[in-house]
Amino acid sequence: MLKKSPSKDLIKRFIGNIKENGYIKNGDKILVACSGGIDSTVMFDLMHRIKDKYALELKIVHFNHCLRGKESDRDEEFVKLLAEKHNLDVIMERGNVKEFAKGERYSIQEKARILRYDFFERTLKKQNFDKIVLGHIADDQAETIIMNFIKGYGFDSLKGIPEVRNNYIRPLIIFTREEIRDYADLWNINYVEDSSNVEYKYLRNKIRHKLIPLIKKDYNSNINETMMHWGMLFKYVVDLVENIGENAFNQIVKNKDKNKFILDINKFKDYFILVKRYILIRTFKELKIYKKGANQRLIEKIIRLTDSNKIGKVFSLSSNYKALIDRKELVIYREFVNNFQFKIKPEEKYNLLNDGIVFESIISDNIDSQFSVKDGYWDELIDYDEVDENSLILRCWKKGDKFIPLGMNQRKKLSDFFIDEKVPNYLKKQIPILVSRDEIVWVCGYRISNKVKITEKTRKILCLKCNYN
């Protein structure tokens, strides 16, 4: 529960909270994030008061989002003067959030946060500092938990704002807005007001100025304390799920790269639903397709279909990612352009489909051990004179494709070849096929044509390499 105490006691409680959690130590080098508003300015005042006690090295950091014109510039100037008054260094940066947010799915607030935290991370590294303190308070915590619930961001979001995460610490998270204002009044602390904090176009402001006052008046006068309590309980549960989930993730993921994840579907089924959600969210994040709130229904759909054994089911996760439920595997993969075709010339390297395919080749008349496929750089070696270098095409599989696989003397449908090689359905359209004179030369990563194999009559070889995801 949050304790109510006179403003003079806030410093003692602040120090007590630091000692209890141990997140500030003697000699720490700490960046204090200051917007100029009441919370971060009080945060700075408290950090400056304990500076000598803990032998801290402090610097102020301020990010100007350039969203409020002259008012944003006023905030920047206020923080600059605050640093000068206390003889401290201040590190500032400006970012054009509106320009950065153009064409993106994220809101202005989300983009502002991305730019701000990117600045914090870079500054921590450049200054070689240990930590950064942020001025979030108990009211922010209550608003965040309610907002995450309203937006349907998922179970793990209900833990709210962490008091400590990596290098970020929030020592004011246990104090209410009323306590912060009382402290500022008591010690005559100047600060600036952000006019956007009262604009109802933002959901957080509606929650702050409309919903929470209504809840306090008619339902629960201690809603902040209640939300803090539930946030703490959810944190314990989320931490437990993440611990179990990380171990499960490492056991369940059979194969992965930047464009796909293959999960053992039978092991996946064995875990309870919160761990399944963690595994899928973790997968989505690594593939960079996770968007908080937007993936919840897809995650639930995947879990439901895996539990009901919907074998062979394929469905879209985003514009270019799909999920496939197979007998033994759950495959989440990036689908490249279904119909691709590129003209290829020897002695050149190609990066195709946003590096989804990397192809290169060289011509050589030196047929000795340095061109060993097994131990060397190249994937395949073929007889250069058996292909027409002016008609080389790299394309996807087409219906009716046939070729004579190495070691055979009869044509075989490529579809049958894929079945024999146990190529998953989702991969068939993504495997590059090298063609010359409309004849398949190489099914990349699998087999060359018997027609282009190296023989005693070979005078030149074409060395081939193809990486694709």
Side-chain angles (χ1 to χ4, degrees):
M1 294 286 290
L2 299 176
K3 299 175 182 177
K4 299 290 183 181
S5 38
S7 298
K8 289 182 179 180
D9 291 336
L10 190 143
I11 299 172
K12 292 181 180 179
R13 291 170 54 210
F14 178 78
I15 294 173
N17 191 38
I18 288 172
K19 286 181 178 178
E20 182 181 344
N21 290 282
Y23 46 53
I24 292 179
K25 299 176 182 177
N26 285 342
D28 273 348
K29 297 190 290 184
I30 297 177
L31 299 177
V32 182
C34 185
S35 67
I38 184 171
D39 300 335
S40 61
T41 306
V42 166
M43 176 79 258
F44 168 74
D45 183 82
L46 289 163
M47 290 300 298
H48 193 263
R49 286 177 185 273
I50 67 169
K51 175 176 174 288
D52 293 337
K53 177 181 177 68
Y54 285 93
L56 303 176
E57 182 180 348
L58 300 181
K59 290 185 181 181
I60 299 177
V61 287
H62 175 83
F63 187 79
N64 186 341
H65 301 95
C66 300
L67 288 172
R68 293 175 287 115
K70 291 182 179 179
E71 191 176 282
S72 293
D73 296 338
R74 176 210 64 186
D75 297 351
E76 182 180 298
E77 183 63 21
F78 174 85
V79 174
K80 182 181 177 182
L81 293 174
L82 181 68
E84 288 178 359
K85 176 182 176 182
H86 293 86
N87 197 28
L88 291 176
D89 290 339
V90 60
I91 303 154
M92 296 183 167
E93 184 170 291
R94 292 184 167 210
N96 192 331
V97 176
K98 287 183 179 178
E99 188 65 29
F100 182 63
K102 279 184 179 179
E104 297 288 344
R105 297 175 298 169
Y106 300 106
S107 67
I108 289 289
Q109 289 76 23
E110 288 171 320
K111 280 296 181 182
R113 185 182 185 281
I114 290 170
L115 287 176
R116 183 170 66 252
Y117 276 82
D118 176 69
F119 165 61
F120 291 159
E121 286 291 329
R122 287 186 283 106
T123 306
L124 272 171
K125 291 177 182 177
K126 187 174 181 180
Q127 297 294 321
N128 194 28
F129 264 46
D130 304 306
K131 296 157 188 172
I132 182 165
V133 293
L134 305 172
H136 296 94
I137 62 173
D139 296 64
D140 297 323
Q141 180 73 296
E143 292 159 10
T144 298
I145 293 171
I146 293 172
M147 184 168 66
N148 288 346
F149 178 79
I150 290 172
K151 287 192 169 186
Y153 276 171
F155 166 80
D156 51 326
S157 72
L158 298 180
K159 66 181 181 181
I161 306 168
E163 188 169 357
V164 181
R165 180 168 58 193
N166 300 327
N167 302 104
Y168 296 88
I169 55 177
R170 299 174 174 87
L172 291 189
I173 202 75
I174 63 170
F175 300 106
T176 65
R177 182 163 286 118
E178 181 183 356
E179 290 176 299
I180 297 298
R181 289 197 180 280
D182 287 348
Y183 179 88
D185 291 343
L186 181 69
W187 298 102
N188 295 315
I189 295 174
N190 294 320
Y191 54 89
V192 293
E193 295 277 5
D194 182 345
S195 61
S196 69
N197 284 338
V198 294
E199 293 179 4
Y200 286 165
K201 65 181 180 180
Y202 300 122
L203 177 59
R204 180 179 290 275
N205 289 346
K206 291 179 182 178
I207 292 170
R208 176 180 298 175
H209 298 297
K210 290 185 174 183
L211 181 57
I212 288 181
L214 176 65
I215 293 173
K216 284 183 175 180
K217 178 176 178 291
D218 293 340
Y219 301 98
N220 181 356
S221 60
N222 295 317
I223 185 62
N224 286 344
E225 288 88 340
T226 301
M227 289 295 100
M228 286 284 287
H229 173 70
W230 278 108
M232 181 177 62
L233 291 179
F234 273 109
K235 180 184 181 300
Y236 294 150
V237 178
V238 170
D239 287 349
L240 176 63
V241 170
E242 288 179 350
N243 186 37
I244 297 171
E246 191 61 26
N247 290 328
F249 179 83
N250 293 329
Q251 293 179 30
I252 287 171
V253 175
K254 297 171 66 175
N255 190 11
K256 68 174 183 175
D257 57 43
K258 66 178 181 179
N259 292 311
K260 74 172 181 298
F261 268 68
I262 300 175
L263 284 65
D264 186 312
I265 201 165
N266 291 318
K267 290 181 179 178
F268 180 78
K269 289 179 182 179
D270 287 341
Y271 286 93
F272 61 94
I273 191 166
L274 292 180
V275 174
K276 290 177 181 177
R277 289 187 74 261
Y278 174 85
I279 292 166
L280 292 174
I281 289 172
R282 177 89 150 70
T283 299
F284 283 16
K285 285 180 177 179
E286 286 208 23
L287 291 173
K288 295 181 172 57
I289 59 171
Y290 179 73
K291 189 174 188 298
K292 188 167 65 171
N295 302 115
Q296 301 305 321
R297 289 186 179 179
L298 286 173
I299 287 170
E300 290 168 7
K301 184 176 182 179
I302 292 173
I303 293 171
R304 188 170 63 252
L305 291 174
T306 54
D307 287 342
S308 60
N309 296 312
K310 294 284 185 178
I311 306 302
K313 183 72 175 178
V314 179
F315 56 94
S316 296
L317 302 175
S318 67
S319 59
N320 55 354
Y321 273 88
K322 291 191 174 182
L324 165 68
I325 297 172
D326 209 345
R327 293 185 184 278
K328 295 182 179 180
E329 297 170 341
L330 168 61
V331 185
I332 298 173
Y333 63 97
R334 178 184 176 191
E335 185 177 60
F336 294 105
V337 180
N338 274 331
N339 296 300
F340 62 86
Q341 181 169 306
F342 304 100
K343 189 171 179 57
I344 298 294
K345 291 183 179 180
E347 305 282 347
E348 292 190 19
K349 185 173 182 178
Y350 297 86
N351 290 284
L352 309 169
L353 299 177
N354 295 320
D355 291 339
I357 300 174
V358 180
F359 184 92
E360 61 181 308
S361 62
I362 64 166
I363 302 168
S364 176
D365 56 7
N366 187 358
I367 313 173
D368 60 24
S369 61
Q370 71 171 299
F371 290 111
S372 165
V373 174
K374 186 174 181 181
D375 301 318
Y377 178 79
W378 302 100
D379 294 330
E380 293 288 356
L381 312 177
I382 64 173
D383 191 323
Y384 170 77
D385 293 316
E386 292 296 327
V387 299
D388 175 12
E389 69 171 40
N390 295 314
S391 70
L392 286 173
I393 299 289
L394 195 67
R395 62 167 173 81
C396 63
W397 166 47
K398 293 181 180 179
K399 189 175 181 180
D401 270 345
K402 295 180 180 179
F403 82 124
I404 305 175
L406 180 66
M408 299 179 66
N409 52 26
Q410 290 186 339
R411 287 182 176 274
K412 187 170 192 172
K413 285 185 178 180
L414 192 50
S415 56
D416 292 337
F417 174 79
F418 283 152
I419 291 172
D420 292 344
E421 294 293 317
K422 296 182 172 56
V423 177
N425 285 329
Y426 75 92
L427 268 183
K428 292 176 181 177
K429 273 290 209 176
Q430 301 186 54
I431 295 172
I433 312 295
L434 183 64
V435 177
S436 173
R437 304 189 195 96
D438 292 325
E439 286 277 344
I440 292 178
V441 171
W442 180 29
V443 180
C444 298
Y446 287 89
R447 196 86 58 87
I448 63 170
S449 167
N450 201 64
K451 288 186 174 183
V452 298
K453 68 182 179 182
I454 294 174
T455 67
E456 293 178 353
K457 297 179 181 180
T458 300
R459 293 176 299 168
K460 288 184 179 180
I461 61 174
L462 185 61
C463 308
L464 305 171
K465 186 173 183 66
C466 183
N467 292 326
Y468 61 93
N469 293 303

